[in-house]
Amino acid sequence: VGQYGPNSGGGMNKGNDGTPKKKSGTPSCSWKLFVGQLDYGMDEEELCSLFSEAGDIEHAHILRKGDGRSRGCGFIVYANRFMADTAISQFDGRVLPGDQRGRGLTVKFANS
């Protein structure tokens, strides 16, 4: 589960599925980013913790296979374009500590 277990709290609002989400309403997809090359052990709270360096996250989601295992990619929705642009410039190509294969993250605006 990583450093944030299912009962760790983390100070985030969570949806019915336990994933972090914005405080009210549905996330706007205008500032939605695709994030690829994630560690397979990373969960939504860890993703939020990492990407919150760039700004306020309204929603985070890691894509999973039918058996619940991560696909190694996901989506982040920021509160505004400036924050999304900041995340792209800070994280695209960045190799996370502990990544044995030295894979740089792919961070770009989502297609939809």
Side-chain angles (χ1 to χ4, degrees), residues 28-105:
S28 162
C29 292
S30 300
W31 318 120
K32 184 177 184 178
L33 301 181
F34 169 81
V35 183
Q37 302 298 338
L38 293 172
D39 182 277
Y40 292 114
M42 183 175 278
D43 63 22
E44 280 83 356
E45 281 200 47
E46 291 169 313
L47 183 63
C48 282
S49 178
L50 176 66
F51 277 81
S52 66
E53 292 177 24
D56 296 332
I57 295 170
E58 294 189 351
H59 184 80
H61 179 74
I62 292 178
L63 297 179
R64 299 189 182 281
K65 298 177 182 180
D67 62 4
R69 290 183 298 151
S70 171
R71 291 186 180 269
C73 60
F75 297 95
I76 295 279
V77 178
Y78 280 97
N80 62 49
R81 170 128 195 175
F82 176 78
M83 293 175 192
D85 285 335
T86 300
I88 292 170
S89 63
Q90 281 185 352
F91 292 103
D92 188 46
R94 182 170 163 183
V95 177
L96 297 179
D99 187 337
Q100 301 280 335
R101 294 184 273 178
R103 300 169 302 161
L105 295 175

